[in-house]
Amino acid sequence: MNNLEKWFWSILSTKGSDFSALAVKQPGPVSVQAAEDADTEEVLSVREDGSNSGKYVSEYLKAVDLGPGNPWCMAFVVFRIIKAAHKLIVNIPLHMPRTGSVAVYGKWAQSQGHFIRRADLELGKAVPMKGDIVVYWFASKGRLAHAGIVVQGGKSFFTVEGNTSGGIDTGVDRDGQGTYKKSRKYSHLGIFGGIIRLPY
């Protein structure tokens, strides 16, 4: 990273003590379980049966009180968290949004101190870890508009994402027909994207 890039990311980063106040240093057990469950042949074989519909897609959407036909990437993530909590017999806070909106979930995460900005990742303050939720910023929409679960951490990391298209090394697609594993870099996140690290 050259000095100009470092200056740019430092402008967008979380300032000093604000970053150290982030709730957790690593994802909690429910988040890790959700990642393990997502990275299975059964989950990765899910495909739509019609536009934003199908047996498993409908289950994901139902978890956030939405019907068939709605985008489901965030619903997939929330479903996996709820399912993992049941598996571990753990209660997750009622204030965690059961929402299909990446923007709503992202704003909640920021308000709770669970959001780690791309700028902070670029500056080496944190690295994506298994169990983190990845959220992508779309400049064309002016908001966070796609999500997935980190299943293998690192500066170059792997995710499982719903409502996306095939191919492990592709761009970020928020209107695909299935659940797929993806190879990701920070550049995929968009300028204001990042990761959400839950304490549970």
Side-chain angles (χ1 to χ4, degrees), residues 28-106:
V30 171
S31 299
V32 173
Q33 184 66 57
E36 290 178 1
D37 293 343
D39 194 15
T40 62
E41 186 176 340
E42 179 184 8
V43 174
L44 290 169
S45 68
V46 170
R47 301 292 181 268
E48 293 181 354
D49 181 12
S51 180
N52 291 338
S53 62
K55 178 184 175 184
Y56 292 104
V57 174
S58 294
E59 282 188 37
Y60 302 151
L61 288 167
K62 187 176 179 182
V64 295
D65 292 322
L66 290 174
N70 285 284
W72 53 277
C73 64
M74 193 72 237
F76 166 74
V77 172
V78 171
F79 176 89
R80 295 264 59 102
I81 294 168
I82 293 170
K83 191 90 169 174
H86 289 168
K87 192 174 196 176
L88 297 177
I89 317 176
V90 173
N91 290 322
I92 51 177
L94 291 176
H95 65 80
M96 187 197 84
R98 277 64 166 176
T99 179
S101 168
V102 184
V104 167
Y105 201 95

Side-chain angles (χ1 to χ4, degrees), residues 6 9 22 27 42 52-53 65 75 77 82 87 100 106 123-124 143 188 197 200:
K6 190 172 183 180
W9 291 119
L22 286 169
E42 179 184 8
N52 291 338
S53 62
D65 292 322
V77 172
I82 293 170
K87 192 174 196 176
L123 293 171
R143 62 178 174 86
H188 287 117
R197 183 165 292 166
Y200 35 89

Side-chain angles (χ1 to χ4, degrees), residues 1-12 122-123:
M1 180 184 298
N2 62 40
N3 287 337
L4 181 59
E5 290 171 327
K6 190 172 183 180
W7 172 82
F8 175 77
W9 291 119
S10 67
I11 294 295
L12 297 178
E122 293 280 3
L123 293 171

Side-chain angles (χ1 to χ4, degrees), residues 15-28:
K15 303 306 174 201
S17 59
D18 289 342
F19 184 83
S20 62
L22 286 169
V24 288
K25 304 302 179 191
Q26 60 186 28

